[in-house]
Amino acid sequence: MMATDGNTVAGLLRDIFGQEMTVVYGTCIHCGSRSQIGRAMVFRGLGTVLVCPTCEGRLMVIVDRAGVACVDAEGLANLEMQRPRPRLLAKI
């Protein structure tokens, strides 16, 4: 099976998480390395598997089940996501 990089699933990740995820940093639970999700290796088959670029440990598995995205991120110790800025209401 041929691997691609995490940028190939940018749209899928945006659909699931609601924001750009390829620039988000995650820490691998297997080796402790910290890198952007876009650097992960991606394997696609019946589901999508993101693999650590350092140790090749499984970071995340995404499977579509009848239109529902099932995400297993057990290989990530954390994801460092920016919180959305609150929208300011215009003064009337």
Side-chain angles (χ1 to χ4, degrees):
M1 191 178 293
M2 185 83 155
T4 58
D5 71 20
N7 294 303
T8 60
V9 291
L12 173 64
L13 294 173
R14 180 182 268 298
D15 288 347
I16 293 169
F17 291 97
Q19 70 178 56
E20 171 59 46
M21 292 297 293
T22 60
V23 296
V24 168
Y25 281 87
T27 302
C28 175
I29 201 161
H30 306 286
C31 71
S33 70
R34 178 182 173 268
S35 65
Q36 290 181 317
I37 298 299
R39 291 196 56 229
M41 294 181 292
V42 175
F43 295 91
R44 290 182 138 180
L46 295 176
T48 302
V49 180
L50 282 75
V51 176
C52 176
T54 303
C55 74
E56 299 183 6
R58 186 181 72 224
L59 298 174
M60 186 183 303
V61 177
I62 304 168
V63 178
D64 184 285
R65 216 171 136 210
V68 176
C70 301
V71 180
D72 173 357
E74 142 176 69
L76 287 166
N78 63 32
L79 279 174
E80 300 170 27
M81 298 169 54
Q82 290 290 324
R83 296 169 93 189
R85 289 184 177 177
R87 293 185 181 168
L88 298 176
L89 298 176
K91 291 183 180 178
I92 299 178

